[in-house]
Amino acid sequence: MRLHIAAIGAKPGVNESALIADYCKRGNAVGRNIGLSGPDINAFDSPKSLTASKRRAREGAMLLEAAPVNAKFVALDENGKNISTEELAAMIERWRDDGVPAATFMIGGADGHDASVLDVADLKLSFGALTWPHMLVRVMLTEQLYRVMTILSGHPYHRS
C-alpha cells in the first residue's frame, strides 16, 4: 500500500524539506518489509486570484486529482477526529490488509478544505485544537506516517 500526501501551499523551506525527506527515507526503509511505501508528496500552489470559495473548490479539485485510483482519503481538518498514533496505525493496517492500494492524506489551504474533499474523506483527522503552520503539519504528518510504519513493523522507535 502506498502512502501519499497532497498539500496546498508553498514549497517547504530548507529545514522543513530536510526533515520531511529524512522521515520519508526512514519510512521507505521500514515500510518495504510490511507492505507499505512512501509517503510521496505532491504540493500545489493556491490559486490566489480567486475568491475564497472558488479558491477552496479549485484546491479541493487539485487534491482529489492527485490521489491514486481507489485510494482512501484522509483530510487533515481542525474539526476532525483526534486519534492516537496507535489508532492510525491500526486503521492503515486494516486498509493494507483489505487490499487498499493507497491512502492519500490531504492538507488544505489557508481557508480549509472544500466540501468536495470533506464529503469523500474516509477519515477527517485533527492534530489537536492548536493551530499549526502548514509547513510544520507536513513535517508532523511525515513523522507520524513513519511512526505508524515502525509500530506495524515492531521497530522500537515508538514507545507507548
Side-chain angles (χ1 to χ4, degrees):
M1 181 172 140
R2 190 126 192 102
L3 302 176
H4 296 272
I5 297 172
I8 300 297
K11 294 191 183 223
V14 173
N15 295 327
E16 295 92 349
S17 291
L19 286 169
I20 290 167
D22 182 53
Y23 286 122
C24 289
K25 180 180 173 185
R26 289 194 214 182
N28 275 309
V30 171
R32 83 177 111 221
N33 297 322
I34 56 169
L36 294 173
S37 63
D40 313 344
I41 301 175
N42 292 322
F44 304 96
D45 288 328
S46 179
K48 307 243 186 293
S49 63
L50 302 175
T51 64
S53 62
K54 287 184 179 179
R55 184 173 48 251
R56 265 194 318 273
R58 181 64 195 122
E59 290 169 352
M62 289 188 289
L63 293 173
L64 293 171
E65 288 167 11
V69 175
N70 297 322
K72 292 288 187 178
F73 295 113
V74 179
L76 274 71
D77 183 70
E78 63 187 5
N79 298 310
K81 285 185 176 180
N82 189 7
I83 64 173
S84 71
T85 306
E86 291 90 348
E87 290 170 304
L88 181 60
M91 184 174 301
I92 289 174
E93 180 179 41
R94 225 175 10 260
W95 290 343
R96 181 202 61 197
D97 293 350
D98 288 346
V100 173
T104 299
F105 293 79
M106 298 176 285
I107 302 171
D111 296 317
H113 283 295
D114 186 63
S116 63
V117 171
L118 296 175
D119 289 347
V120 299
D122 296 285
L123 171 65
K124 295 173 196 89
L125 179 65
S126 172
F127 276 177
L130 298 172
T131 301
W132 298 101
H134 277 70
M135 291 307 129
L136 286 183
V137 170
R138 290 184 200 184
V139 172
M140 293 182 341
L141 179 56
T142 54
E143 189 279 338
Q144 285 298 294
L145 293 176
Y146 167 63
R147 187 176 292 271
V148 160
M149 290 181 203
T150 64
I151 290 169
L152 297 178
S153 71
H155 187 283
Y157 178 77
H158 179 75
R159 293 183 181 100
S160 296

